[in-house]
Amino acid sequence: MNISTYPDQEILKIAFGFKKHLKDKYLRTANNTTPLDEAFIYRFKALFYEVQSHHKTHESAEKTQKYLLTLEDLTDQARAYLIIFRFYLQKAFPYDSELSEQYGYVEMERIKQDHAEMRNLLEKTISIIHERNKFLVAAKCPDCTLEGILSLSNKINQVHDEMLQELQRAEEQKKTYKNNIKELFSLMEQIHTYASDNLKDEPEKLKHFVLPATNYIH
């Protein structure tokens, strides 16, 4: 049997049936022994609940979406400040076109789609503000523009870092889920094999512990 031929939801459905009937009296043979002991049953049920819990939750995706919406709003605010900043940068350094080119339309559109690029540009901007502050002041660049850039840079960094941590956590959960469902299916195969060998003369019991042929899955 191959796990890839069974959709995850179907595996959970079958596992639920196994769990419901997984009692010693169902699996005991004539000599009253079974390798599917209490520890096995406990592990099976624990894995079932872990997989079921992960399968039902969309919390991580919802959190990531909230972070993305927040970053989109903060990025729009930052772009507005950077466009104003570019104007005063050109006033302060009219002969340094390369300095202001990084705030052109194409760059502003690119950073809108790339949060890492936005952070990079904001860091460069803050360096310019610190290194060339007296020239910007002489060009009458408003303090609120400079303060807004500094504040938004901190906010964007914080939200972006939190989102990356959430994505990493979600990826780790995904790996754990895949490992758990593989182990759960392996235990289901053991139950199927054991029941097929030991309960073939008891069809009413056997039917609760066999994996259906994949072509019968709905």
Side-chain angles (χ1 to χ4, degrees):
M1 287 165 282
N2 190 330
I3 188 173
S4 64
T5 61
Y6 294 84
D8 288 5
Q9 189 61 43
E10 189 64 27
I11 290 175
L12 274 172
K13 181 180 176 182
I14 300 167
F16 175 78
F18 281 18
K19 178 187 71 69
K20 183 178 178 182
H21 299 93
L22 200 56
K23 299 174 183 177
D24 282 348
K25 65 179 182 179
Y26 276 90
L27 296 173
R28 292 288 181 190
T29 56
N31 60 8
N32 203 38
T33 62
T34 173
L36 310 185
D37 56 14
E38 286 187 13
F40 178 96
I41 294 172
Y42 177 83
R43 181 59 182 154
F44 181 87
K45 290 183 176 181
L47 274 170
F48 171 79
Y49 289 123
E50 285 180 38
V51 172
Q52 183 185 54
S53 175
H54 179 94
H55 197 77
K56 285 183 176 181
T57 182
H58 301 286
E59 179 185 358
S60 183
E62 291 172 358
K63 281 185 178 179
T64 300
Q65 185 59 29
K66 287 180 180 178
Y67 283 127
L68 286 171
L69 290 173
T70 300
L71 283 171
E72 183 179 342
D73 180 56
L74 292 172
T75 297
D76 284 342
Q77 294 179 51
R79 286 169 71 244
Y81 276 116
L82 290 174
I83 290 169
I84 296 171
F85 180 74
R86 179 175 186 259
F87 171 77
Y88 288 99
L89 197 61
Q90 287 174 322
K91 282 184 66 177
F93 306 98
Y95 304 110
D96 192 346
S97 58
E98 287 187 13
L99 197 58
S100 58
E101 276 179 5
Q102 60 190 323
Y103 303 99
Y105 175 79
V106 174
E107 287 71 17
M108 289 297 99
E109 286 301 304
R110 186 159 59 90
I111 63 175
K112 185 177 180 181
Q113 308 300 327
D114 190 329
H115 301 121
E117 284 296 321
M118 166 59 86
R119 292 180 66 166
N120 186 47
L121 181 57
L122 285 170
E123 286 173 9
K124 288 180 180 178
T125 303
I126 291 170
S127 293
I128 292 171
I129 291 172
H130 290 321
E131 293 168 6
R132 311 195 185 196
N133 186 262
K134 64 179 181 179
F135 299 102
L136 292 167
V137 171
K140 300 191 184 307
C141 183
D143 287 341
C144 61
T145 298
L146 303 179
E147 291 167 1
I149 291 171
L150 292 170
S151 175
L152 284 167
S153 178
N154 290 332
K155 289 179 183 177
I156 287 173
N157 287 349
Q158 179 183 348
V159 174
H160 190 230
D161 284 342
E162 288 177 4
M163 186 183 75
L164 292 177
Q165 289 172 7
E166 178 61 30
L167 289 171
Q168 182 179 359
R169 186 183 72 85
E171 186 60 29
E172 289 171 356
Q173 280 190 330
K174 185 178 178 181
K175 288 179 182 177
T176 300
Y177 169 76
K178 286 182 177 179
N179 289 335
N180 282 343
I181 200 167
K182 282 180 183 178
E183 186 179 351
L184 177 66
F185 188 76
S186 176
L187 298 185
M188 290 166 69
E189 287 182 306
Q190 291 178 52
I191 294 170
H192 171 92
T193 299
Y194 178 83
S196 298
D197 290 342
N198 293 278
L199 300 177
K200 45 189 152 183
D201 296 329
E202 301 180 75
E204 284 303 308
K205 291 183 181 179
L206 177 61
K207 69 182 181 181
H208 298 301
F209 302 109
V210 291
L211 290 164
T214 54
N215 56 315
Y216 290 108
I217 291 177
H218 300 289

